[in-house]
Every structure is written in structure tokens, then in C-alpha cells.
Amino acid sequence: MKLKLIISLCLFTALCAGLLSASKDVPVGFTPMPLQIPEGWPAPSYNIFEKNEPTREIFYLGRKLFYDGNLSSDGQTSCAGCHQPFAAFSTYDHDLSHGVTNSFTNRNAPALFNLAWMTAYHWDGGVRNLEMQPLNPITAPNEMGETLENVIRKIKMDSSYAPYLSSAFGDNAITSERLLKSLSQFVGQLVSSNSRFDKWKKGKDSLTKFELEGYEVFKTNCNTCHAEPLFTDNSFRNNGISLNRFKDAGRMDITGKKEDSLRYKVPSLRNTQLTFPYAHDGRFYTLSEVIDHYMAIDTSRNDIDPIL
């Protein structure tokens, strides 16, 4: 119980961080909006905006698209429907995210923050380019169930987009390239940092006795995979989790390699207070359940990650 209390207090209290927010006003003019790298953080492994120069105007267009149900076939299911802002842009309280016409997806929608420091997206790493990532949920039958052609047609018919498009690109034309670039700028600029933990590391805040003890336990048992400051090493690992009812084999479904069976992306531990339930299929509703899982792992198994 003490181990659970220490780790839970450390993660719940110290790692919850604020996310970038934006007002709903339409900005005017071309305003550069370079990615802000928090003090002491590494530079992203590659420049996700190399061919998509970030501006405030395109960011706001991306934000409007992110909340628009017209990106789905039922006109109700937006990106934000599964990636809820109050839950650090993850699916809150539900094990599986909800798709069009009350359908369910096969996974829990992961939180969207610090994407610029990732080299692959989704639990299985099936997408390696942030601009292409929205195509998967938009076209998946159990997610947004729409075609890109229909999305473009509906946006063209929506006069509310005219000032956003004109401000972002100088004219009212909407293309698939502009749509994907705008969405990637919005989600790519969502940076989670400056938590109490970050401030403590800079000597600008303090942690409680339990949080300090929890941090020592964390460094001994968790920090290899959940490496600071991102609290993930972006790797894919088999952590002893069992095959679910969807027969979701994780990374193996992408690579076809047997050794990738049941390997899933190591999630960031930032914002853990906001992002339950946990794991790729939301099977753990509390951090205590997560800790119980790790304490009960059969380390003699050949398929789990050697680090365990």
C-alpha cells in the first residue's frame, strides 16, 4: 500500500501540466508561431514543421477543424470528441473512444501533447508523419467514417470558414493539403510543460515528503521507459499485458514481426491525473490497477520486454 501511495501521489500531484490554449477569435495577418521548446528540453528529433511553417492564422484554422463535426460522416463526431481538451486531449473516463453513430473504436484515444517530440503516432506507431495522421481517424469506419472528398465539399459549403482560410492562406480555397497542414499545426503546437514537477526541478517550487519518496521509487523502477522530461522514451514494449477481445496484437499488426507481438507505445506520464483510463484499451481505471499489474508480472515469460 505504501508503494502505491508514494507513486500515485508523485504522479497525480507532480506531473499534471497545463496545455497550450487559444481563444476563438479569428486572427488577422501572417503571424509566425514557432514551436516553443521548454527550457531544458531536448530539441525534437526531427522538424515536424519543416515544410509547414507554423503561423497563428493556420493554427486557428486547425483549431476550428479540430472541433468541427463535419469532418465525420454523421456531422457530430469531431476530433475533439475523442481527444477531449479537459482530459489533456485524450478519451476521458471511457475505456474505448466513441466513433460515428454510437460505434466504438478498438482503442483508448491517446493524449495529444508534445507530439513534436514523437517520431511515430498511434499505439502501434502505424503513422510516422503528423500531417498524414488525421487521415486514419477521418476515414476509419468506426471512428469518423468519412472520405476526404466529402470533408472538403462540406467545408466549401460552410461560409464560416471563409475568414479563417483567407487569413491563413490569402484566399478562401480549401484543399486536402491545407486541411492536413492546419490540423497538424494545431495538434503539433500542444505542448505540456511547466508543471509543479518542472518548477521543482528548476528550484521554483517544492514537493511533499511523499512526492519526494515517490520520485525516488520512480527513478528506480520506471524512469528507463518513462524518461524525463517527456516521461516517455517513445519506444514500443511488451509490458506483460494480455491479448484483448479485439485480438489487438499492437506493433506486430504494423510490422508483421512476431517479436513485435503485444508491443505498444510507451505513453507519457504527464497529465496522468487527467488521462484515465490507462493502457491502449483503457483496461486500467486507476493508477493502483496499473501498479498492481506491474507488481504481478511473471518475469519468466519470454515475450515481455527484457527490462522488466
Side-chain angles (χ1 to χ4, degrees):
M1 286 298 294
K2 183 178 180 181
L3 177 62
K4 294 180 187 178
L5 176 63
I6 291 172
I7 297 179
S8 294
L9 281 171
C10 176
L11 295 178
F12 264 75
T13 308
L15 297 182
C16 181
L19 288 168
L20 181 70
S21 63
S23 73
K24 296 182 179 180
D25 297 330
V26 182
V28 177
F30 181 85
T31 312
M33 190 178 177
L35 177 70
Q36 298 298 308
I37 300 177
E39 179 184 352
W41 283 34
S45 54
Y46 77 103
N47 182 7
I48 62 171
F49 298 129
E50 182 178 5
K51 298 180 180 180
N52 183 18
E53 184 179 356
T55 70
R56 183 175 173 84
E57 293 74 29
I58 297 177
F59 172 88
Y60 274 72
L61 174 58
R63 183 187 188 281
K64 180 173 174 61
L65 290 163
F66 188 83
Y67 288 93
D68 191 350
N70 280 321
L71 269 65
S72 65
S73 59
D74 64 2
Q76 302 295 321
T77 307
S78 67
C79 303
C82 291
H83 298 282
Q84 299 159 300
F86 56 82
F89 292 89
S90 72
T91 294
Y92 183 80
D93 198 32
H94 295 279
D95 53 351
L96 304 175
S97 54
H98 293 200
V100 292
T101 61
N102 295 318
S103 61
F104 287 90
T105 69
N106 296 345
R107 291 175 176 169
N108 183 271
L112 299 181
F113 57 80
N114 300 339
L115 301 184
W117 284 266
M118 297 182 184
T119 55
Y121 307 95
H122 297 191
W123 284 102
D124 53 23
V127 177
R128 302 188 65 85
N129 184 300
L130 186 58
E131 284 186 31
M132 296 294 104
Q133 189 281 329
L135 288 174
N136 284 49
I138 288 174
T139 59
N142 63 343
E143 293 191 48
M144 302 176 82
E146 189 55 285
T147 66
L148 203 54
E149 292 76 16
N150 271 342
V151 171
I152 297 301
R153 178 183 58 80
K154 286 185 283 188
I155 293 174
K156 285 181 178 179
M157 295 172 59
D158 187 343
S159 60
S160 71
Y161 273 97
Y164 286 87
L165 287 162
S166 179
S167 179
F169 298 108
D171 58 59
N172 297 344
I174 178 64
T175 64
S176 58
E177 180 183 15
R178 287 181 172 183
L179 181 145
L180 295 173
K181 283 182 178 294
S182 300
L183 282 170
S184 66
Q185 282 204 23
F186 176 69
V187 297
Q189 292 276 21
L190 297 175
V191 177
S192 178
S193 65
N194 202 35
S195 66
R196 279 186 53 237
F197 176 84
D198 298 301
K199 293 175 182 177
W200 170 69
K201 293 286 282 189
K202 298 175 185 177
K204 297 178 180 180
D205 208 328
S206 61
L207 299 183
T208 68
K209 175 185 176 182
F210 283 112
E211 289 167 350
L212 290 170
E213 291 180 0
Y215 181 51
E216 292 304 315
V217 175
F218 170 82
K219 288 193 295 183
T220 301
N221 296 282
C222 316
N223 196 39
T224 302
C225 298
H226 297 283
E228 301 174 43
L230 298 171
F231 289 93
T232 175
D233 63 356
N234 287 318
S235 64
F236 299 87
R237 299 179 186 267
N238 183 331
N239 66 348
I241 206 165
S242 59
L243 190 68
N244 63 21
R245 65 185 185 276
F246 302 112
K247 308 301 181 184
D248 184 349
R251 184 73 175 151
M252 187 177 76
D253 289 339
I254 301 300
T255 66
K257 298 179 180 178
K258 184 178 180 180
E259 60 266 29
D260 284 334
S261 176
L262 298 179
R263 287 184 179 179
Y264 306 94
K265 191 169 187 177
V266 175
S268 172
L269 294 186
R270 288 184 175 272
N271 300 299
T272 49
Q273 184 179 11
L274 305 174
T275 57
F276 74 93
Y278 310 104
H280 69 285
D281 54 7
R283 67 177 66 189
F284 303 122
Y285 265 78
T286 67
L287 284 174
S288 288
E289 291 179 29
V290 175
I291 295 167
D292 284 341
H293 165 74
Y294 281 103
M295 293 178 70
I297 287 177
D298 179 4
T299 55
S300 66
R301 285 173 47 181
N302 294 326
D303 60 333
I304 67 171
D305 197 281
I307 203 169
L308 297 175

